[in-house]
Amino acid sequence: FATLRELGEGVRCLALFVTHYHLLCRLAQALPGKVGSFHVGFLAGEGDRVTFLYKLQPGPANRSFGMNVALMAGLPEPLVQRAREQAVGMEAAVLRRAETLRADLASRLKVAAASGQTQALAQLQGEARRLLELRGAKPRTGDEGARQHQ
């Protein structure tokens, strides 16, 4: 994040980041005209099948294609399957942690509101907004049918 921000604001050079780290996409909003966010358009088929369309589209993709690219690159199926299982487990752990944070935050908001701590309440409301932004990522369930994403 800091590196891309420095390239966009300080160095102001042309650079290409390939990532699924969605926080980087926020820099496109924070630094319009200096940083852009794009993804390769794709056609999603049954299950994990995907066809890339060789066309850049604005904004982030709505899912990661690392496993698809690994298969296209010829990595062994058992290796990709193990990586897929690890990714699902890690995603579930992140969602569990987000729920724990949400419950803790809700409790702290109640205490601050009940005791009239307006400064603490404002800080906690900011934390709540950031948590809601992070929770925008839902678990992937696969695609039904073929859909083109542009």
Side-chain angles (χ1 to χ4, degrees), residues 92-140:
V94 166
L95 291 173
R96 283 192 305 273
R97 177 71 177 135
E99 182 54 31
T100 300
L101 290 172
R102 187 211 56 79
D104 177 60
L105 187 56
S107 173
R108 291 169 45 206
L109 278 167
K110 277 185 188 179
V111 170
S115 62
Q117 299 173 355
T118 56
Q119 185 176 1
L121 186 59
Q123 284 181 313
L124 291 170
Q125 287 171 333
E127 286 182 39
R129 279 190 294 278
R130 286 189 294 280
L131 182 59
L132 287 173
E133 288 174 7
L134 290 174
R135 289 189 65 195
K138 301 281 187 212
R140 290 183 296 275

